[in-house]
Amino acid sequence: MFSGALLENLESQQKRSESHFELGHLPAPESSVHPLWGLLSCVPKKMLTIRRQQHKSIWGALKALSWCGTTPTFCQVLIGFHKRQCPINCPRQSASALSPADGQHTGRRKMPIVRNVSRAVSRLLQSPGCGCGIPIIPARCIGVSPRQVASDASFHSVSFSDSDHPRVLITGGLGQLGVGLAKLLRKRFGKNNVILSDIRKPADNVFYSGPFIYADILDYKNLREIVVNNRITWLFHYSALLSAVGEANVPLARAVNITGLHNVLDIAAEHNLRLFVPSTIGAFGPTSPRNPTPDLCIQRPRTIYGVSKVHAELMGEYYHYRYGLDFRCLRYPGIISADSQPGGGTTDYAVQIFHDAMKTGKFQCYLKPDTRLPMMYIDDCLKATLEVMEAPAEALSMRTYNISAMSFVPEELVQEVQKHVPELQVTYKVDEVRQAIADSWPMNFDDRNARRDWGWKHDYDLPELVTTMFSFLGSDSRIAQIN
């Protein structure tokens, strides 16, 4: 039967002054999800919008249901709506006793919502015109949000055969990692199966390289529609404000890094997605062991970026254990890439030095020359991300892993760069904010669990990294000169 809370909500909406309302906005019963509610969730929201005069008839039918001693089947409910009367033989209230406002047949044509619900049922049931013998479809077959389901609900990740590729959405796709990840995934799963998204306008080469859409992670409804309309099964959540930028605008960092994450978690759980959220060396603090830093230890970061990443790790694990969400997370070291400009992170000096060496031959470092931090070339980072997403769930002993490749200080990087650009001039002007952040971060990552559980192995050390960076940047520079 319908719960009293649902009927009270319907009755309260009947008294409102608005001319329309949507059934999709009504809360589900607290104790269980009623079959009709599950059915209505199958119908597009815009099809469920009904007018006030139609609202009275539906509300009357639902009120009649609350008097009945048994729960009706889908077919009975639909027959009742067609006839504008109680959808089952109610021992306490006959259909003829209902007033027109309470659901009596009025002779008018079938309501639009009835036609729409009928179409949905005809797709779900083998014989939509059958009697009452067909069992009700379990509500768990339909995606529901953890905001709406009972506490014992369970979700399961989608598995893929060799011939069936995941449908991928990347949020914050125009950052340092998103474009490169999209390129890698499109080679693996097909160009049209990977959708890049951001709130910024993409460059022409990015826009024409594959599907791109506008997606604001703070707009829950918009993000949910994107997932549903594009049948997304994997979601890579890269939207975030980095360390130094976040400290300059804490309210915005809190909104993007925390509120945006909550939207992504709810949508991923509702639609059974496999969710990847990157974490960082910034998730550790000055009281954490620094050399090496294990997967599990005291964290206590002192930046809003680090706090939000610890929050993401813990919330992802909670949703995994509480709702069965297939959540996967890697703690990235500093990432070095030739494809993107530095984005305001504390480790971005290791990217800036290559651009300055090629353009001006002068580089000013904002960290002390002996500040050691873990680093990784972007190809290793993207490879690790894909590998952990493809790893069998049973192989994962935890949901958040450290990954590492190399660790160096600015002075060591300068010496390696000067082997390629001997005339490079380097000065040091310490940024106290970034230096304080770096001094609280790990010097080395212990990534033994990742290497053991899913076979992680890096390809680039410092010499290979520097050679590769100059190879890419040198090619781009020569092409620019020719153009």
Side-chain angles (χ1 to χ4, degrees):
M1 288 192 294
F2 289 88
S3 70
L6 178 59
L7 289 173
E8 290 175 5
N9 197 305
L10 282 167
E11 187 171 12
S12 65
Q13 292 213 42
Q14 183 185 19
K15 298 176 182 179
R16 293 179 182 175
S17 60
E18 292 88 348
S19 60
H20 294 78
F21 77 100
E22 295 182 0
L23 292 180
H25 288 170
L26 298 178
E30 296 179 359
S31 58
S32 63
V33 180
H34 193 278
L36 179 59
W37 189 267
L39 173 63
L40 294 178
S41 68
C42 294
V43 184
K45 188 176 294 183
K46 65 181 180 180
M47 297 171 66
L48 291 178
T49 301
I50 59 179
R51 300 183 183 278
R52 289 186 62 189
Q53 60 267 30
Q54 298 169 342
H55 170 211
K56 292 183 178 180
S57 297
I58 293 179
W59 182 85
L62 297 181
K63 185 175 181 181
L65 284 173
S66 68
W67 298 332
C68 302
T70 58
T71 300
T73 65
F74 283 130
C75 295
Q76 290 172 320
V77 170
L78 289 176
I79 292 172
F81 281 167
H82 276 280
K83 295 181 179 180
R84 307 284 182 85
Q85 64 186 19
C86 181
I88 64 174
N89 295 324
C90 176
R92 297 176 58 185
Q93 178 79 8
S94 64
S96 60
L98 297 174
S99 65
D102 286 334
Q104 184 180 359
H105 178 64
T106 61
R108 291 175 291 183
R109 65 188 181 91
K110 195 185 306 180
M111 292 183 295
I113 189 174
V114 176
R115 294 196 301 271
N116 295 334
V117 175
S118 299
R119 295 191 191 106
V121 172
S122 66
R123 293 194 294 268
L124 293 173
L125 302 179
Q126 293 291 337
S127 303
C130 61
C132 303
I134 294 182
I136 298 173
I137 298 176
R140 277 180 55 195
C141 292
I142 301 165
V144 283
S145 168
R147 298 170 176 172
Q148 299 177 348
V149 300
S151 60
D152 59 350
S154 176
F155 298 92
H156 301 280
S157 174
V158 180
S159 60
F160 305 98
S161 65
D162 292 337
S163 60
D164 187 18
H165 294 312
R167 294 276 297 170
V168 179
L169 174 66
I170 303 172
T171 65
L174 297 184
Q176 183 184 20
L177 299 176
V179 174
L181 180 64
K183 184 178 179 179
L184 175 65
L185 296 179
R186 284 165 179 165
K187 288 182 179 178
R188 185 65 171 269
F189 302 130
K191 177 179 177 180
N192 293 326
N193 285 323
V194 179
I195 301 174
L196 199 62
S197 72
D198 209 303
I199 60 173
R200 295 178 292 162
K201 182 179 178 181
D204 288 346
N205 64 310
V206 174
F207 183 78
Y208 292 109
S209 64
F212 179 90
I213 58 176
Y214 174 91
D216 182 357
I217 61 168
L218 297 180
D219 187 341
Y220 179 87
K221 181 179 178 181
N222 169 252
L223 191 61
R224 192 169 184 260
E225 288 176 350
I226 290 172
V227 168
V228 171
N229 292 342
N230 294 282
R231 300 182 297 113
I232 299 301
T233 53
W234 284 15
L235 198 159
F236 292 83
H237 179 51
Y238 278 111
S239 296
L241 264 66
L242 301 183
S243 55
V245 177
E247 290 305 294
N249 193 339
V250 173
L252 180 60
R254 185 175 61 237
V256 173
N257 296 6
I258 296 179
T259 304
L261 170 75
H262 293 173
N263 290 339
V264 168
L265 285 170
D266 284 342
I267 292 170
E270 179 182 0
H271 296 285
N272 305 338
L273 308 185
R274 181 171 295 180
L275 174 64
F276 177 84
V277 178
S279 189
T280 168
I281 55 175
F284 298 94
T287 57
S288 304
R290 300 186 63 207
N291 192 19
T293 303
D295 286 305
L296 300 176
C297 66
I298 295 174
Q299 293 182 257
R300 299 294 183 182
R302 293 186 178 177
T303 65
I304 186 60
Y305 177 60
V307 169
S308 69
K309 286 304 182 181
V310 174
H311 179 75
E313 295 175 12
L314 296 178
M315 287 295 291
E317 290 190 16
Y318 173 78
Y319 268 63
H320 170 69
Y321 292 113
R322 181 69 170 77
Y323 300 113
L325 173 65
D326 192 351
F327 171 83
R328 305 180 184 207
C329 177
L330 296 178
R331 292 192 187 110
Y332 290 155
I335 304 301
I336 301 175
S337 167
D339 294 331
S340 59
Q341 295 292 324
T346 301
T347 60
D348 280 348
Y349 83 89
V351 178
Q352 189 66 51
I353 187 174
F354 293 98
H355 293 277
D356 290 353
M358 295 293 295
K359 293 178 181 178
T360 66
K362 297 180 180 180
F363 171 65
Q364 185 177 84
C365 183
Y366 50 75
L367 295 181
K368 295 178 181 178
D370 60 349
T371 305
R372 184 171 297 278
L373 292 169
M375 299 285 185
M376 179 179 289
Y377 184 57
I378 189 171
D379 284 8
D380 277 340
C381 173
L382 300 179
K383 183 183 78 166
T385 302
L386 179 57
E387 287 179 354
V388 76
M389 284 294 279
E390 291 187 319
E394 58 273 13
L396 304 180
S397 62
M398 56 187 64
R399 289 288 143 178
T400 300
Y401 289 90
N402 292 342
I403 54 170
S404 182
M406 67 192 87
S407 179
F408 54 77
V409 301
E411 193 171 40
E412 293 172 343
L413 177 60
V414 168
Q415 292 173 358
E416 197 65 38
V417 169
Q418 286 177 335
K419 294 179 181 179
H420 297 263
V421 186
E423 65 276 14
L424 175 65
Q425 300 177 18
V426 179
T427 58
Y428 293 90
K429 184 178 181 180
V430 177
D431 181 333
E432 296 298 334
V433 174
R434 292 184 180 183
Q435 185 64 52
I437 293 173
D439 289 341
S440 70
W441 284 358
M443 300 170 67
N444 282 291
F445 262 158
D446 180 353
D447 62 353
R448 286 177 292 180
N449 290 322
R451 295 177 185 271
R452 180 197 66 216
D453 288 358
W454 42 276
W456 158 241
K457 183 179 180 181
H458 71 279
D459 294 327
Y460 292 85
D461 290 313
L462 182 57
E464 293 83 4
L465 162 70
V466 173
T467 300
T468 303
M469 286 290 289
F470 278 119
S471 177
F472 275 103
L473 293 176
S475 298
D476 293 342
S477 178
R478 285 192 294 271
I479 292 173
Q481 291 175 1
I482 294 173
N483 291 336

